[in-house]
Amino acid sequence: MSLFSNFSLVTKMATDDYVGFTFFVGCMAMMAASAFFFLSMNHFDKKWRVSILVSGLITFIAAVHYWYMRDYWAVNMESPTFFRYVDWILTVPLMCVEFFLILRVAGAKKSLMWNLIFLSVIMLVTGYFGEAVFRDQAWLWGLISGIAYFIIVYIIWFGSAKKLAENAGGAVLSAHKTLCWFVLVGWAIYPLGYMAGTPGWYEGWFSGLNMDVIYNIGDAINKIGFGLVVYNLAVNASGYSSEKA
Ligand SMILES: *C/C=C(C)/C=C/C=C(C)/C=C/C1=C(C)CCCC1(C)C
């Protein structure tokens, strides 16, 4: 029974299992978004195809991880922290690549991309330490992670990335601005989840909220929304052709 239950039974979902529900819906949404990005890719001018491809890869990688996280939660009823961070360590750097790809038209250098990727890895590895390894010092690791996060925000809002976006102007500038808001507001959802799910002096601030529900909402907004901004940019900048499919 115990062996076969893993293969042949679908675990029940309680009507009040909000965490399980958001994993389930999140998984579906990521799959649908991936199909959308992949299938629309070839409608665009060549120079935008890689950007749309990356949007699809981000949601596809998330879909695969959500598939596992959904199962992990259903069987163990605990946070799939490991899968969560593996997902992020793959998808967040890809979002940094996305910034670079968009700004490439204005002459962005690879060093901008690598700086953002490096900072995002610091942000996530220190977050993992606080959440999974050194939970007693979760606030300290969260703080280091938060500093890396703010440097990313600074670079894209005020630093070299901003200057490139201004040089590019038009649809690129407005897409860049929207993505900046995603990083400032959309990404700020994650530290809230972290504070809801780790011990520390902030305990109780978000005690009514579940960490995984917050992370799942954040992922849906940021991964799918981010991809749609890029899609929209490609539509505005190159026009969508229904002939080329
Ligand atoms: C698709 C996944 C995304 C966009 C994940 C983003 C994750 C973050 C911005 C996480 C940030 C964190 C902090 C700023 C401090 C506390 C620890 C983290 C890792 C939750």
mmCIF file with all atom_site columns, all heavy atoms in Angstrom, residues 85 87-88 91-92 95 123-124 127-128 131 142 145-146 149 187 190-191 194 215 219 222-223, ligand 1:
data_model
loop_
_atom_site.group_PDB
_atom_site.id
_atom_site.type_symbol
_atom_site.label_atom_id
_atom_site.label_alt_id
_atom_site.label_comp_id
_atom_site.label_asym_id
_atom_site.label_entity_id
_atom_site.label_seq_id
_atom_site.pdbx_PDB_ins_code
_atom_site.Cartn_x
_atom_site.Cartn_y
_atom_site.Cartn_z
_atom_site.occupancy
_atom_site.B_iso_or_equiv
_atom_site.pdbx_formal_charge
_atom_site.auth_seq_id
_atom_site.auth_comp_id
_atom_site.auth_asym_id
_atom_site.auth_atom_id
_atom_site.pdbx_PDB_model_num
ATOM   1   N N   . TYR A 1 85  ? 13.817 26.593 -3.863  1.00 0.00 ? 85  TYR A N   1
ATOM   2   C CA  . TYR A 1 85  ? 15.027 27.358 -4.133  1.00 0.00 ? 85  TYR A CA  1
ATOM   3   C C   . TYR A 1 85  ? 15.753 26.896 -5.399  1.00 0.00 ? 85  TYR A C   1
ATOM   4   O O   . TYR A 1 85  ? 16.415 27.695 -6.048  1.00 0.00 ? 85  TYR A O   1
ATOM   5   C CB  . TYR A 1 85  ? 15.942 27.371 -2.898  1.00 0.00 ? 85  TYR A CB  1
ATOM   6   C CG  . TYR A 1 85  ? 15.525 28.461 -1.914  1.00 0.00 ? 85  TYR A CG  1
ATOM   7   C CD1 . TYR A 1 85  ? 14.532 28.227 -0.974  1.00 0.00 ? 85  TYR A CD1 1
ATOM   8   C CD2 . TYR A 1 85  ? 16.097 29.723 -1.968  1.00 0.00 ? 85  TYR A CD2 1
ATOM   9   C CE1 . TYR A 1 85  ? 14.128 29.236 -0.086  1.00 0.00 ? 85  TYR A CE1 1
ATOM   10  C CE2 . TYR A 1 85  ? 15.708 30.731 -1.097  1.00 0.00 ? 85  TYR A CE2 1
ATOM   11  C CZ  . TYR A 1 85  ? 14.720 30.478 -0.152  1.00 0.00 ? 85  TYR A CZ  1
ATOM   12  O OH  . TYR A 1 85  ? 14.324 31.475 0.703   1.00 0.00 ? 85  TYR A OH  1
ATOM   13  N N   . ASP A 1 87  ? 14.157 25.969 -8.057  1.00 0.00 ? 87  ASP A N   1
ATOM   14  C CA  . ASP A 1 87  ? 13.365 26.710 -9.044  1.00 0.00 ? 87  ASP A CA  1
ATOM   15  C C   . ASP A 1 87  ? 13.889 28.150 -9.152  1.00 0.00 ? 87  ASP A C   1
ATOM   16  O O   . ASP A 1 87  ? 14.235 28.626 -10.242 1.00 0.00 ? 87  ASP A O   1
ATOM   17  C CB  . ASP A 1 87  ? 11.888 26.679 -8.602  1.00 0.00 ? 87  ASP A CB  1
ATOM   18  C CG  . ASP A 1 87  ? 10.976 27.558 -9.456  1.00 0.00 ? 87  ASP A CG  1
ATOM   19  O OD1 . ASP A 1 87  ? 11.456 28.481 -10.141 1.00 0.00 ? 87  ASP A OD1 1
ATOM   20  O OD2 . ASP A 1 87  ? 9.753  27.336 -9.420  1.00 0.00 ? 87  ASP A OD2 1
ATOM   21  N N   . TRP A 1 88  ? 13.972 28.836 -8.029  1.00 0.00 ? 88  TRP A N   1
ATOM   22  C CA  . TRP A 1 88  ? 14.378 30.251 -8.049  1.00 0.00 ? 88  TRP A CA  1
ATOM   23  C C   . TRP A 1 88  ? 15.801 30.451 -8.578  1.00 0.00 ? 88  TRP A C   1
ATOM   24  O O   . TRP A 1 88  ? 16.056 31.404 -9.305  1.00 0.00 ? 88  TRP A O   1
ATOM   25  C CB  . TRP A 1 88  ? 14.282 30.846 -6.643  1.00 0.00 ? 88  TRP A CB  1
ATOM   26  C CG  . TRP A 1 88  ? 12.876 31.045 -6.149  1.00 0.00 ? 88  TRP A CG  1
ATOM   27  C CD1 . TRP A 1 88  ? 11.711 30.874 -6.862  1.00 0.00 ? 88  TRP A CD1 1
ATOM   28  C CD2 . TRP A 1 88  ? 12.482 31.455 -4.834  1.00 0.00 ? 88  TRP A CD2 1
ATOM   29  N NE1 . TRP A 1 88  ? 10.633 31.150 -6.060  1.00 0.00 ? 88  TRP A NE1 1
ATOM   30  C CE2 . TRP A 1 88  ? 11.071 31.510 -4.822  1.00 0.00 ? 88  TRP A CE2 1
ATOM   31  C CE3 . TRP A 1 88  ? 13.182 31.771 -3.664  1.00 0.00 ? 88  TRP A CE3 1
ATOM   32  C CZ2 . TRP A 1 88  ? 10.359 31.893 -3.682  1.00 0.00 ? 88  TRP A CZ2 1
ATOM   33  C CZ3 . TRP A 1 88  ? 12.467 32.150 -2.536  1.00 0.00 ? 88  TRP A CZ3 1
ATOM   34  C CH2 . TRP A 1 88  ? 11.075 32.200 -2.546  1.00 0.00 ? 88  TRP A CH2 1
ATOM   35  N N   . THR A 1 91  ? 15.341 30.292 -12.293 1.00 0.00 ? 91  THR A N   1
ATOM   36  C CA  . THR A 1 91  ? 14.457 31.252 -12.969 1.00 0.00 ? 91  THR A CA  1
ATOM   37  C C   . THR A 1 91  ? 14.821 32.715 -12.711 1.00 0.00 ? 91  THR A C   1
ATOM   38  O O   . THR A 1 91  ? 14.674 33.543 -13.610 1.00 0.00 ? 91  THR A O   1
ATOM   39  C CB  . THR A 1 91  ? 12.976 31.021 -12.576 1.00 0.00 ? 91  THR A CB  1
ATOM   40  O OG1 . THR A 1 91  ? 12.861 31.011 -11.155 1.00 0.00 ? 91  THR A OG1 1
ATOM   41  C CG2 . THR A 1 91  ? 12.471 29.719 -13.133 1.00 0.00 ? 91  THR A CG2 1
ATOM   42  N N   . VAL A 1 92  ? 15.284 33.041 -11.505 1.00 0.00 ? 92  VAL A N   1
ATOM   43  C CA  . VAL A 1 92  ? 15.598 34.456 -11.235 1.00 0.00 ? 92  VAL A CA  1
ATOM   44  C C   . VAL A 1 92  ? 16.795 34.934 -12.080 1.00 0.00 ? 92  VAL A C   1
ATOM   45  O O   . VAL A 1 92  ? 16.717 36.002 -12.688 1.00 0.00 ? 92  VAL A O   1
ATOM   46  C CB  . VAL A 1 92  ? 15.789 34.716 -9.719  1.00 0.00 ? 92  VAL A CB  1
ATOM   47  C CG1 . VAL A 1 92  ? 16.160 36.176 -9.465  1.00 0.00 ? 92  VAL A CG1 1
ATOM   48  C CG2 . VAL A 1 92  ? 14.503 34.371 -8.964  1.00 0.00 ? 92  VAL A CG2 1
ATOM   49  N N   . MET A 1 95  ? 15.560 35.836 -15.341 1.00 0.00 ? 95  MET A N   1
ATOM   50  C CA  . MET A 1 95  ? 14.907 37.147 -15.395 1.00 0.00 ? 95  MET A CA  1
ATOM   51  C C   . MET A 1 95  ? 15.956 38.250 -15.555 1.00 0.00 ? 95  MET A C   1
ATOM   52  O O   . MET A 1 95  ? 15.716 39.253 -16.234 1.00 0.00 ? 95  MET A O   1
ATOM   53  C CB  . MET A 1 95  ? 14.071 37.370 -14.136 1.00 0.00 ? 95  MET A CB  1
ATOM   54  C CG  . MET A 1 95  ? 12.911 36.386 -14.046 1.00 0.00 ? 95  MET A CG  1
ATOM   55  S SD  . MET A 1 95  ? 12.093 36.461 -12.440 1.00 0.00 ? 95  MET A SD  1
ATOM   56  C CE  . MET A 1 95  ? 10.500 37.006 -12.905 1.00 0.00 ? 95  MET A CE  1
ATOM   57  N N   . MET A 1 123 ? 21.432 36.726 -3.279  1.00 0.00 ? 123 MET A N   1
ATOM   58  C CA  . MET A 1 123 ? 20.128 36.927 -2.642  1.00 0.00 ? 123 MET A CA  1
ATOM   59  C C   . MET A 1 123 ? 19.462 35.597 -2.305  1.00 0.00 ? 123 MET A C   1
ATOM   60  O O   . MET A 1 123 ? 18.915 35.416 -1.216  1.00 0.00 ? 123 MET A O   1
ATOM   61  C CB  . MET A 1 123 ? 19.240 37.763 -3.585  1.00 0.00 ? 123 MET A CB  1
ATOM   62  C CG  . MET A 1 123 ? 17.813 37.952 -3.135  1.00 0.00 ? 123 MET A CG  1
ATOM   63  S SD  . MET A 1 123 ? 16.845 38.932 -4.327  1.00 0.00 ? 123 MET A SD  1
ATOM   64  C CE  . MET A 1 123 ? 16.357 37.675 -5.518  1.00 0.00 ? 123 MET A CE  1
ATOM   65  N N   . LEU A 1 124 ? 19.543 34.653 -3.244  1.00 0.00 ? 124 LEU A N   1
ATOM   66  C CA  . LEU A 1 124 ? 18.822 33.396 -3.062  1.00 0.00 ? 124 LEU A CA  1
ATOM   67  C C   . LEU A 1 124 ? 19.578 32.412 -2.168  1.00 0.00 ? 124 LEU A C   1
ATOM   68  O O   . LEU A 1 124 ? 18.972 31.734 -1.330  1.00 0.00 ? 124 LEU A O   1
ATOM   69  C CB  . LEU A 1 124 ? 18.520 32.763 -4.423  1.00 0.00 ? 124 LEU A CB  1
ATOM   70  C CG  . LEU A 1 124 ? 17.568 33.617 -5.280  1.00 0.00 ? 124 LEU A CG  1
ATOM   71  C CD1 . LEU A 1 124 ? 17.474 33.065 -6.696  1.00 0.00 ? 124 LEU A CD1 1
ATOM   72  C CD2 . LEU A 1 124 ? 16.196 33.705 -4.639  1.00 0.00 ? 124 LEU A CD2 1
ATOM   73  N N   . GLY A 1 127 ? 19.174 33.546 1.320   1.00 0.00 ? 127 GLY A N   1
ATOM   74  C CA  . GLY A 1 127 ? 17.791 33.276 1.720   1.00 0.00 ? 127 GLY A CA  1
ATOM   75  C C   . GLY A 1 127 ? 17.603 31.807 2.079   1.00 0.00 ? 127 GLY A C   1
ATOM   76  O O   . GLY A 1 127 ? 16.948 31.478 3.076   1.00 0.00 ? 127 GLY A O   1
ATOM   77  N N   . TYR A 1 128 ? 18.215 30.938 1.278   1.00 0.00 ? 128 TYR A N   1
ATOM   78  C CA  . TYR A 1 128 ? 18.109 29.497 1.564   1.00 0.00 ? 128 TYR A CA  1
ATOM   79  C C   . TYR A 1 128 ? 18.775 29.156 2.894   1.00 0.00 ? 128 TYR A C   1
ATOM   80  O O   . TYR A 1 128 ? 18.239 28.370 3.694   1.00 0.00 ? 128 TYR A O   1
ATOM   81  C CB  . TYR A 1 128 ? 18.750 28.684 0.428   1.00 0.00 ? 128 TYR A CB  1
ATOM   82  C CG  . TYR A 1 128 ? 18.621 27.195 0.631   1.00 0.00 ? 128 TYR A CG  1
ATOM   83  C CD1 . TYR A 1 128 ? 17.415 26.557 0.382   1.00 0.00 ? 128 TYR A CD1 1
ATOM   84  C CD2 . TYR A 1 128 ? 19.693 26.438 1.100   1.00 0.00 ? 128 TYR A CD2 1
ATOM   85  C CE1 . TYR A 1 128 ? 17.273 25.192 0.588   1.00 0.00 ? 128 TYR A CE1 1
ATOM   86  C CE2 . TYR A 1 128 ? 19.558 25.073 1.309   1.00 0.00 ? 128 TYR A CE2 1
ATOM   87  C CZ  . TYR A 1 128 ? 18.351 24.455 1.051   1.00 0.00 ? 128 TYR A CZ  1
ATOM   88  O OH  . TYR A 1 128 ? 18.210 23.107 1.262   1.00 0.00 ? 128 TYR A OH  1
ATOM   89  N N   . GLU A 1 131 ? 16.427 30.144 5.610   1.00 0.00 ? 131 GLU A N   1
ATOM   90  C CA  . GLU A 1 131 ? 15.163 29.395 5.667   1.00 0.00 ? 131 GLU A CA  1
ATOM   91  C C   . GLU A 1 131 ? 15.362 27.928 6.013   1.00 0.00 ? 131 GLU A C   1
ATOM   92  O O   . GLU A 1 131 ? 14.535 27.314 6.680   1.00 0.00 ? 131 GLU A O   1
ATOM   93  C CB  . GLU A 1 131 ? 14.459 29.534 4.313   1.00 0.00 ? 131 GLU A CB  1
ATOM   94  C CG  . GLU A 1 131 ? 12.958 29.365 4.376   1.00 0.00 ? 131 GLU A CG  1
ATOM   95  C CD  . GLU A 1 131 ? 12.308 29.659 3.024   1.00 0.00 ? 131 GLU A CD  1
ATOM   96  O OE1 . GLU A 1 131 ? 12.538 30.764 2.478   1.00 0.00 ? 131 GLU A OE1 1
ATOM   97  O OE2 . GLU A 1 131 ? 11.588 28.789 2.529   1.00 0.00 ? 131 GLU A OE2 1
ATOM   98  N N   . GLY A 1 142 ? 18.378 36.867 6.076   1.00 0.00 ? 142 GLY A N   1
ATOM   99  C CA  . GLY A 1 142 ? 17.362 37.630 5.348   1.00 0.00 ? 142 GLY A CA  1
ATOM   100 C C   . GLY A 1 142 ? 17.840 39.043 5.051   1.00 0.00 ? 142 GLY A C   1
ATOM   101 O O   . GLY A 1 142 ? 17.578 39.598 3.984   1.00 0.00 ? 142 GLY A O   1
ATOM   102 N N   . SER A 1 145 ? 20.418 38.917 2.290   1.00 0.00 ? 145 SER A N   1
ATOM   103 C CA  . SER A 1 145 ? 19.655 38.685 1.066   1.00 0.00 ? 145 SER A CA  1
ATOM   104 C C   . SER A 1 145 ? 18.973 39.977 0.612   1.00 0.00 ? 145 SER A C   1
ATOM   105 O O   . SER A 1 145 ? 18.993 40.335 -0.573  1.00 0.00 ? 145 SER A O   1
ATOM   106 C CB  . SER A 1 145 ? 18.615 37.588 1.334   1.00 0.00 ? 145 SER A CB  1
ATOM   107 O OG  . SER A 1 145 ? 17.745 37.442 0.254   1.00 0.00 ? 145 SER A OG  1
ATOM   108 N N   . GLY A 1 146 ? 18.407 40.694 1.579   1.00 0.00 ? 146 GLY A N   1
ATOM   109 C CA  . GLY A 1 146 ? 17.708 41.944 1.276   1.00 0.00 ? 146 GLY A CA  1
ATOM   110 C C   . GLY A 1 146 ? 18.641 43.014 0.720   1.00 0.00 ? 146 GLY A C   1
ATOM   111 O O   . GLY A 1 146 ? 18.246 43.804 -0.146  1.00 0.00 ? 146 GLY A O   1
ATOM   112 N N   . TYR A 1 149 ? 19.193 42.232 -2.824  1.00 0.00 ? 149 TYR A N   1
ATOM   113 C CA  . TYR A 1 149 ? 17.953 42.602 -3.513  1.00 0.00 ? 149 TYR A CA  1
ATOM   114 C C   . TYR A 1 149 ? 17.928 44.107 -3.805  1.00 0.00 ? 149 TYR A C   1
ATOM   115 O O   . TYR A 1 149 ? 17.625 44.540 -4.921  1.00 0.00 ? 149 TYR A O   1
ATOM   116 C CB  . TYR A 1 149 ? 16.770 42.159 -2.663  1.00 0.00 ? 149 TYR A CB  1
ATOM   117 C CG  . TYR A 1 149 ? 15.419 42.697 -3.072  1.00 0.00 ? 149 TYR A CG  1
ATOM   118 C CD1 . TYR A 1 149 ? 14.944 42.574 -4.369  1.00 0.00 ? 149 TYR A CD1 1
ATOM   119 C CD2 . TYR A 1 149 ? 14.588 43.312 -2.131  1.00 0.00 ? 149 TYR A CD2 1
ATOM   120 C CE1 . TYR A 1 149 ? 13.692 43.057 -4.717  1.00 0.00 ? 149 TYR A CE1 1
ATOM   121 C CE2 . TYR A 1 149 ? 13.346 43.796 -2.466  1.00 0.00 ? 149 TYR A CE2 1
ATOM   122 C CZ  . TYR A 1 149 ? 12.894 43.673 -3.770  1.00 0.00 ? 149 TYR A CZ  1
ATOM   123 O OH  . TYR A 1 149 ? 11.658 44.158 -4.104  1.00 0.00 ? 149 TYR A OH  1
ATOM   124 N N   . TRP A 1 187 ? 8.616  41.559 -6.415  1.00 0.00 ? 187 TRP A N   1
ATOM   125 C CA  . TRP A 1 187 ? 9.628  40.767 -5.700  1.00 0.00 ? 187 TRP A CA  1
ATOM   126 C C   . TRP A 1 187 ? 9.572  41.012 -4.198  1.00 0.00 ? 187 TRP A C   1
ATOM   127 O O   . TRP A 1 187 ? 10.021 40.177 -3.410  1.00 0.00 ? 187 TRP A O   1
ATOM   128 C CB  . TRP A 1 187 ? 11.048 41.076 -6.227  1.00 0.00 ? 187 TRP A CB  1
ATOM   129 C CG  . TRP A 1 187 ? 11.319 40.511 -7.592  1.00 0.00 ? 187 TRP A CG  1
ATOM   130 C CD1 . TRP A 1 187 ? 10.399 40.162 -8.534  1.00 0.00 ? 187 TRP A CD1 1
ATOM   131 C CD2 . TRP A 1 187 ? 12.607 40.247 -8.173  1.00 0.00 ? 187 TRP A CD2 1
ATOM   132 N NE1 . TRP A 1 187 ? 11.039 39.708 -9.665  1.00 0.00 ? 187 TRP A NE1 1
ATOM   133 C CE2 . TRP A 1 187 ? 12.385 39.745 -9.474  1.00 0.00 ? 187 TRP A CE2 1
ATOM   134 C CE3 . TRP A 1 187 ? 13.926 40.403 -7.724  1.00 0.00 ? 187 TRP A CE3 1
ATOM   135 C CZ2 . TRP A 1 187 ? 13.433 39.378 -10.322 1.00 0.00 ? 187 TRP A CZ2 1
ATOM   136 C CZ3 . TRP A 1 187 ? 14.964 40.041 -8.568  1.00 0.00 ? 187 TRP A CZ3 1
ATOM   137 C CH2 . TRP A 1 187 ? 14.715 39.527 -9.854  1.00 0.00 ? 187 TRP A CH2 1
ATOM   138 N N   . TYR A 1 190 ? 8.200  38.383 -1.674  1.00 0.00 ? 190 TYR A N   1
ATOM   139 C CA  . TYR A 1 190 ? 8.955  37.239 -1.143  1.00 0.00 ? 190 TYR A CA  1
ATOM   140 C C   . TYR A 1 190 ? 9.492  37.438 0.282   1.00 0.00 ? 190 TYR A C   1
ATOM   141 O O   . TYR A 1 190 ? 9.363  36.529 1.105   1.00 0.00 ? 190 TYR A O   1
ATOM   142 C CB  . TYR A 1 190 ? 10.081 36.845 -2.106  1.00 0.00 ? 190 TYR A CB  1
ATOM   143 C CG  . TYR A 1 190 ? 9.555  36.391 -3.447  1.00 0.00 ? 190 TYR A CG  1
ATOM   144 C CD1 . TYR A 1 190 ? 9.443  37.267 -4.504  1.00 0.00 ? 190 TYR A CD1 1
ATOM   145 C CD2 . TYR A 1 190 ? 9.133  35.077 -3.636  1.00 0.00 ? 190 TYR A CD2 1
ATOM   146 C CE1 . TYR A 1 190 ? 8.940  36.862 -5.739  1.00 0.00 ? 190 TYR A CE1 1
ATOM   147 C CE2 . TYR A 1 190 ? 8.632  34.662 -4.864  1.00 0.00 ? 190 TYR A CE2 1
ATOM   148 C CZ  . TYR A 1 190 ? 8.541  35.564 -5.905  1.00 0.00 ? 190 TYR A CZ  1
ATOM   149 O OH  . TYR A 1 190 ? 8.023  35.151 -7.113  1.00 0.00 ? 190 TYR A OH  1
ATOM   150 N N   . PRO A 1 191 ? 10.091 38.586 0.582   1.00 0.00 ? 191 PRO A N   1
ATOM   151 C CA  . PRO A 1 191 ? 10.518 38.782 1.977   1.00 0.00 ? 191 PRO A CA  1
ATOM   152 C C   . PRO A 1 191 ? 9.351  38.690 2.970   1.00 0.00 ? 191 PRO A C   1
ATOM   153 O O   . PRO A 1 191 ? 9.554  38.266 4.117   1.00 0.00 ? 191 PRO A O   1
ATOM   154 C CB  . PRO A 1 191 ? 11.121 40.199 1.984   1.00 0.00 ? 191 PRO A CB  1
ATOM   155 C CG  . PRO A 1 191 ? 11.437 40.504 0.570   1.00 0.00 ? 191 PRO A CG  1
ATOM   156 C CD  . PRO A 1 191 ? 10.570 39.658 -0.291  1.00 0.00 ? 191 PRO A CD  1
ATOM   157 N N   . TYR A 1 194 ? 8.931  35.094 3.576   1.00 0.00 ? 194 TYR A N   1
ATOM   158 C CA  . TYR A 1 194 ? 10.082 34.655 4.393   1.00 0.00 ? 194 TYR A CA  1
ATOM   159 C C   . TYR A 1 194 ? 9.836  34.981 5.868   1.00 0.00 ? 194 TYR A C   1
ATOM   160 O O   . TYR A 1 194 ? 10.039 34.144 6.744   1.00 0.00 ? 194 TYR A O   1
ATOM   161 C CB  . TYR A 1 194 ? 11.320 35.378 3.873   1.00 0.00 ? 194 TYR A CB  1
ATOM   162 C CG  . TYR A 1 194 ? 12.632 35.039 4.538   1.00 0.00 ? 194 TYR A CG  1
ATOM   163 C CD1 . TYR A 1 194 ? 13.384 33.953 4.093   1.00 0.00 ? 194 TYR A CD1 1
ATOM   164 C CD2 . TYR A 1 194 ? 13.141 35.823 5.573   1.00 0.00 ? 194 TYR A CD2 1
ATOM   165 C CE1 . TYR A 1 194 ? 14.613 33.665 4.664   1.00 0.00 ? 194 TYR A CE1 1
ATOM   166 C CE2 . TYR A 1 194 ? 14.369 35.534 6.153   1.00 0.00 ? 194 TYR A CE2 1
ATOM   167 C CZ  . TYR A 1 194 ? 15.103 34.464 5.686   1.00 0.00 ? 194 TYR A CZ  1
ATOM   168 O OH  . TYR A 1 194 ? 16.321 34.179 6.251   1.00 0.00 ? 194 TYR A OH  1
ATOM   169 N N   . TYR A 1 215 ? 4.489  32.848 -1.377  1.00 0.00 ? 215 TYR A N   1
ATOM   170 C CA  . TYR A 1 215 ? 5.466  32.565 -2.446  1.00 0.00 ? 215 TYR A CA  1
ATOM   171 C C   . TYR A 1 215 ? 4.752  32.188 -3.748  1.00 0.00 ? 215 TYR A C   1
ATOM   172 O O   . TYR A 1 215 ? 5.166  32.597 -4.837  1.00 0.00 ? 215 TYR A O   1
ATOM   173 C CB  . TYR A 1 215 ? 6.394  31.413 -2.039  1.00 0.00 ? 215 TYR A CB  1
ATOM   174 C CG  . TYR A 1 215 ? 7.468  31.765 -1.029  1.00 0.00 ? 215 TYR A CG  1
ATOM   175 C CD1 . TYR A 1 215 ? 8.190  30.751 -0.384  1.00 0.00 ? 215 TYR A CD1 1
ATOM   176 C CD2 . TYR A 1 215 ? 7.801  33.085 -0.728  1.00 0.00 ? 215 TYR A CD2 1
ATOM   177 C CE1 . TYR A 1 215 ? 9.200  31.041 0.534   1.00 0.00 ? 215 TYR A CE1 1
ATOM   178 C CE2 . TYR A 1 215 ? 8.793  33.382 0.197   1.00 0.00 ? 215 TYR A CE2 1
ATOM   179 C CZ  . TYR A 1 215 ? 9.498  32.359 0.826   1.00 0.00 ? 215 TYR A CZ  1
ATOM   180 O OH  . TYR A 1 215 ? 10.489 32.645 1.724   1.00 0.00 ? 215 TYR A OH  1
ATOM   181 N N   . ASP A 1 219 ? 5.099  34.091 -7.246  1.00 0.00 ? 219 ASP A N   1
ATOM   182 C CA  . ASP A 1 219 ? 5.592  33.431 -8.463  1.00 0.00 ? 219 ASP A CA  1
ATOM   183 C C   . ASP A 1 219 ? 4.646  33.642 -9.637  1.00 0.00 ? 219 ASP A C   1
ATOM   184 O O   . ASP A 1 219 ? 5.092  33.910 -10.761 1.00 0.00 ? 219 ASP A O   1
ATOM   185 C CB  . ASP A 1 219 ? 5.765  31.922 -8.223  1.00 0.00 ? 219 ASP A CB  1
ATOM   186 C CG  . ASP A 1 219 ? 7.067  31.598 -7.510  1.00 0.00 ? 219 ASP A CG  1
ATOM   187 O OD1 . ASP A 1 219 ? 7.868  32.525 -7.267  1.00 0.00 ? 219 ASP A OD1 1
ATOM   188 O OD2 . ASP A 1 219 ? 7.293  30.410 -7.210  1.00 0.00 ? 219 ASP A OD2 1
ATOM   189 N N   . ASN A 1 222 ? 4.960  37.320 -10.727 1.00 0.00 ? 222 ASN A N   1
ATOM   190 C CA  . ASN A 1 222 ? 6.259  37.708 -11.267 1.00 0.00 ? 222 ASN A CA  1
ATOM   191 C C   . ASN A 1 222 ? 6.681  36.926 -12.505 1.00 0.00 ? 222 ASN A C   1
ATOM   192 O O   . ASN A 1 222 ? 7.214  37.506 -13.445 1.00 0.00 ? 222 ASN A O   1
ATOM   193 C CB  . ASN A 1 222 ? 7.325  37.598 -10.191 1.00 0.00 ? 222 ASN A CB  1
ATOM   194 C CG  . ASN A 1 222 ? 7.160  38.693 -9.153  1.00 0.00 ? 222 ASN A CG  1
ATOM   195 O OD1 . ASN A 1 222 ? 7.249  39.865 -9.470  1.00 0.00 ? 222 ASN A OD1 1
ATOM   196 N ND2 . ASN A 1 222 ? 6.873  38.318 -7.913  1.00 0.00 ? 222 ASN A ND2 1
ATOM   197 N N   . LYS A 1 223 ? 6.452  35.623 -12.506 1.00 0.00 ? 223 LYS A N   1
ATOM   198 C CA  . LYS A 1 223 ? 6.917  34.853 -13.659 1.00 0.00 ? 223 LYS A CA  1
ATOM   199 C C   . LYS A 1 223 ? 6.023  35.055 -14.876 1.00 0.00 ? 223 LYS A C   1
ATOM   200 O O   . LYS A 1 223 ? 6.508  35.289 -15.980 1.00 0.00 ? 223 LYS A O   1
ATOM   201 C CB  . LYS A 1 223 ? 7.025  33.375 -13.300 1.00 0.00 ? 223 LYS A CB  1
ATOM   202 C CG  . LYS A 1 223 ? 8.118  33.140 -12.270 1.00 0.00 ? 223 LYS A CG  1
ATOM   203 C CD  . LYS A 1 223 ? 8.326  31.682 -11.991 1.00 0.00 ? 223 LYS A CD  1
ATOM   204 C CE  . LYS A 1 223 ? 9.640  31.459 -11.280 1.00 0.00 ? 223 LYS A CE  1
ATOM   205 N NZ  . LYS A 1 223 ? 9.662  32.096 -9.938  1.00 0.00 ? 223 LYS A NZ  1
HETATM 206 C C1  . LIG B 2 .   ? 10.244 33.409 -9.890  1.00 0.00 ? 1   LIG B C1  1
HETATM 207 C C2  . LIG B 2 .   ? 10.824 33.646 -8.656  1.00 0.00 ? 1   LIG B C2  1
HETATM 208 C C3  . LIG B 2 .   ? 11.212 34.876 -8.165  1.00 0.00 ? 1   LIG B C3  1
HETATM 209 C C4  . LIG B 2 .   ? 11.031 36.135 -8.944  1.00 0.00 ? 1   LIG B C4  1
HETATM 210 C C5  . LIG B 2 .   ? 11.783 34.878 -6.861  1.00 0.00 ? 1   LIG B C5  1
HETATM 211 C C6  . LIG B 2 .   ? 12.241 35.955 -6.232  1.00 0.00 ? 1   LIG B C6  1
HETATM 212 C C7  . LIG B 2 .   ? 12.726 35.844 -4.903  1.00 0.00 ? 1   LIG B C7  1
HETATM 213 C C8  . LIG B 2 .   ? 13.126 36.884 -4.112  1.00 0.00 ? 1   LIG B C8  1
HETATM 214 C C9  . LIG B 2 .   ? 13.153 38.292 -4.607  1.00 0.00 ? 1   LIG B C9  1
HETATM 215 C C10 . LIG B 2 .   ? 13.525 36.580 -2.759  1.00 0.00 ? 1   LIG B C10 1
HETATM 216 C C11 . LIG B 2 .   ? 14.000 37.459 -1.884  1.00 0.00 ? 1   LIG B C11 1
HETATM 217 C C12 . LIG B 2 .   ? 14.356 37.237 -0.475  1.00 0.00 ? 1   LIG B C12 1
HETATM 218 C C13 . LIG B 2 .   ? 14.697 38.372 0.248   1.00 0.00 ? 1   LIG B C13 1
HETATM 219 C C14 . LIG B 2 .   ? 14.821 39.729 -0.397  1.00 0.00 ? 1   LIG B C14 1
HETATM 220 C C15 . LIG B 2 .   ? 14.982 38.350 1.706   1.00 0.00 ? 1   LIG B C15 1
HETATM 221 C C16 . LIG B 2 .   ? 14.514 37.090 2.372   1.00 0.00 ? 1   LIG B C16 1
HETATM 222 C C17 . LIG B 2 .   ? 14.901 35.882 1.594   1.00 0.00 ? 1   LIG B C17 1
HETATM 223 C C18 . LIG B 2 .   ? 14.313 35.855 0.191   1.00 0.00 ? 1   LIG B C18 1
HETATM 224 C C19 . LIG B 2 .   ? 15.174 34.867 -0.585  1.00 0.00 ? 1   LIG B C19 1
HETATM 225 C C20 . LIG B 2 .   ? 12.877 35.343 0.276   1.00 0.00 ? 1   LIG B C20 1
#
